[in-house]
Amino acid sequence: MRTITDIEKLNTIYIISKGRPQCHTARTLTEMNYPGPWFIVCGNNDETLEEYKAKWGADRILVFDWYEQIKHTDVLDNFGFTKHASGAVPVRNAVFELSRQRGERRHWQLDDDYTGFWLTNTELNHNDKMTGEQLYWWCGRIAKFGDDTKMANVGFMLSSSQFPASAKGFNSRVFNAHNMSNEPGVTPEWRGRLNDDVIHAVSVHRLGQMREMQFRFIGITMTLTQKEAGGLTEMYQALGTVRKTAYLMLVAPNASKLTIRFRRFHHEVKWQKLMVKLISEKWKK
């Protein structure tokens, strides 16, 4: 049995997926000859599980007990799991357990709809499509940075938000490609039936200090939101994006509101209202 390397203890990719055995992210990693370890994580409630195994090989598919996981999953409502889908939170939290079982200190969580990875060339002022070797090197470097600085979460962004002029900067929130610490208490558990990425960022913000960094020099392209079957598409179509914002408002009522963006209902967050504020001792009662 091959011994896991030190960089793999920080850098293994776990693709969370349900009902999408075509898995664009897995196809993208395969086509670019990505040399690092990666897996697709599915629940044992997935009716297409055998299709995943047939397409990608059983050794690539990690299966968690969804029925056990939902017993301690906080989806921020009491609707149960019979009529409503559970969302991505059970698989996201299960990945922590799977990664720890493999002896890893950190891990990557990627969605299953990525069609490309892009690297900003600041000298030529444009973005270039990455090779598998490039992606592996940069993922490892970012993961090591997160490990060295004890960050809860580090990652990169959508290419639609990736501009060469700002490539050397960073954001203080991670919404897509996540590299997270497995150390208990460092990274909060995922919560919420919908909008779990923003809710998780809120939870990290409330820890105080800078616990997240999203680098701008790497970007991802992905399939159109709510256009592909499987994943969360059916739930968004059934419940709507108003409900999505409502889950966020349950955890951050003072800093979030419903607005209209991209010609549909969306959320708006005032992140500065979530930061821990230091108050002089003279005001302490």
Side-chain angles (χ1 to χ4, degrees), residues 70 73-86 192-194 243 247 250:
I70 61 173
T73 293
D74 183 4
V75 290
L76 299 174
D77 63 43
N78 60 357
F79 299 153
F81 301 99
T82 303
K83 296 182 179 180
H84 295 283
S86 63
R193 196 181 295 265
L194 293 171
R243 180 77 66 86
Y247 281 95
L250 286 173

Side-chain angles (χ1 to χ4, degrees), residues 150-165:
K150 308 303 180 186
M151 287 278 182
N153 196 359
V154 290
F156 41 90
M157 61 198 311
L158 285 174
S159 282
S160 61
S161 306
Q162 180 193 21
F163 301 102

Side-chain angles (χ1 to χ4, degrees), residues 10 76 83 91 123 180 227 257:
L10 311 173
L76 299 174
K83 296 182 179 180
V91 63
E123 292 183 0
M180 293 177 285
K227 296 297 182 182
K257 68 177 183 179

Side-chain angles (χ1 to χ4, degrees), residues 158 175 195 197-198 225-226 236 240-249 256-269 271:
L158 285 174
F175 297 125
N195 225 358
D197 54 348
V198 181
T225 303
Q226 300 183 39
Y236 281 132
T241 51
V242 172
R243 180 77 66 86
K244 178 181 176 181
T245 299
Y247 281 95
L248 171 62
M249 295 179 72
S256 60
K257 68 177 183 179
L258 182 67
T259 186
I260 295 179
R261 293 175 61 195
F262 315 116
R263 292 185 292 181
R264 60 182 171 85
F265 287 112
H266 209 274
H267 59 260
E268 180 179 322
V269 185
W271 294 98

